[in-house]
Amino acid sequence: MTTSWTVARVVRDRDAGLYLTAVVVSGFGTSALWLASGVWVKDLTGSDGLAALCAAALWAPTLAGPALGTLADRVRRRTLLVAGDLGLAGAVLTLCAVDSPGRLWLLFAVLVAYGATGVVQDAAESALLSAAVGPELLADVNGLRMTLTEGMKLVAPLTGAGLYAVYGGAGVACLDAATFVAAAGLCALLGVREERPVRSGGGWWEETAEGARRLWGHPALRPLVLAGGTTMLLAALSSTTLYAVVDRLGQPPAFVGVLYAVQGTGSVAVGLVSGPALRRLGPGRFAAAGIAVTALAVAARAVASTPVALVASAAGGLGLPCVLIAALTAVQRETPGPLLGRVTATANTLLFAPNVLGLAAGAGLVELAGPGLLCPVYGLVLLSTAVPLAQRADRAARTAARSVSEANPA
């Protein structure tokens, strides 16, 4: 009942509803193009390596997140979101010209621009959302955003694959462009009032460094973000064992898709309850609990049992988003508005850049050792990340309680 009431309260908030609708619309197009781009490259070249580079092109701009996020603190965030969506709509339409291997450079250029704009927009969204929605709703909105994003990943790739089969890559590009135009319209309707940003007087790099110092120097944000980055690294490492896990189960390679779908269902579920859970446990405990569940899920993949693998996938979907939701909500609550864009982008880089490293390293490690050895090791490292985070949260809670009792001896 608490969860239902929370969802209804978020949806009743006009700006939160508009924001989440924009997330659904743009997320649908993004997920459809993400799958179609790899298939497109594979069809034109026959190369698995070039097809895999599509994901790398989307992720690469994350490494420049702190610098890109500074832009979100230099201009009005709503204007930036609308301009970014309309710009991407135009860029994606140029993909209609990709009809031969010689024009694939255009596809990769658009994917890099797509990723870079996404980094800027994530920072602007975080800052704008904290101004448009009350702090008591931030955790709920972030949780529902996770639910909707993961839900789109379950539906949109199939739609994109079907559209690609019928109309080719140009059809998917047109769909994605239409979703960006719709998202721009929804963002333009947001009722938040923004003052013109006041420049600090320093240059671009000085402002970027200021955001990094703010994040690194904050005693609550730094451990949360570092724990999140470590979790994403280990999750990426463990994901490279999935085909080996499926092979041990005696299942066909396509069974990996079933495991991913089950994991996505778990992520959809946790987004619905993350708001109440985050308020009850606090960000440190909530993140630590999620990491611990993820650790058990990763270690369980060492068991050669199909039912265990399915349960482990669902548990991983439940646990992994917790630290991301906790870290993002804490950044929004603890960072002053003028710094929020670059601090968010810096946090996102520390959270998601390890994912790229984990995928690269894991691909080599899985050739040297099987999941029976690697998965328990990854799970143990994850658990060692959760324990100090929980202990730190407990110490902070005891200190706060003692301070209250000393201030009110009665």
Side-chain angles (χ1 to χ4, degrees), residues 36 50 112 189 196 260 388 399:
L50 285 176
V112 172
L189 293 175
R196 185 178 182 85
Y260 273 125
T399 300

Side-chain angles (χ1 to χ4, degrees), residues 78-102:
R78 182 174 58 181
T79 303
L80 184 61
L81 289 174
V82 173
D85 283 335
L86 293 178
L88 282 177
V92 169
L93 285 177
T94 66
L95 296 182
C96 294
V98 178
D99 55 4
S100 66

Side-chain angles (χ1 to χ4, degrees), residues 361-381:
L365 289 173
V366 77
E367 296 293 334
L368 302 176
L373 174 62
L374 292 176
C375 289
V377 172
Y378 295 154
L380 185 61
V381 178

Side-chain angles (χ1 to χ4, degrees), residues 233-295:
L233 172 66
L234 271 298
L237 286 169
S238 69
S239 72
T240 61
T241 67
L242 276 182
Y243 284 99
V245 167
V246 168
D247 188 53
R248 292 180 74 204
L249 298 177
Q251 300 284 355
F255 191 71
V256 169
V258 176
L259 296 180
Y260 273 125
V262 172
Q263 179 175 324
T265 303
S267 297
V268 168
V270 77
L272 296 173
V273 301
S274 59
L278 192 53
R279 282 189 291 272
R280 182 177 182 84
L281 297 175
R285 289 172 178 166
F286 180 64
I291 296 172
V293 172
T294 305

Side-chain angles (χ1 to χ4, degrees), residues 314-382:
L318 284 168
L320 184 59
C322 295
V323 66
L324 302 178
I325 294 172
L328 176 58
T329 304
V331 166
Q332 290 170 319
R333 288 175 172 170
E334 299 294 331
T335 306
L339 291 172
L340 190 47
R342 67 200 98 158
V343 173
T344 297
T346 303
N348 283 340
T349 295
L350 293 174
L351 286 170
F352 296 112
N355 188 52
V356 181
L357 301 176
L359 290 172
L365 289 173
V366 77
E367 296 293 334
L368 302 176
L373 174 62
L374 292 176
C375 289
V377 172
Y378 295 154
L380 185 61
V381 178
L382 278 167

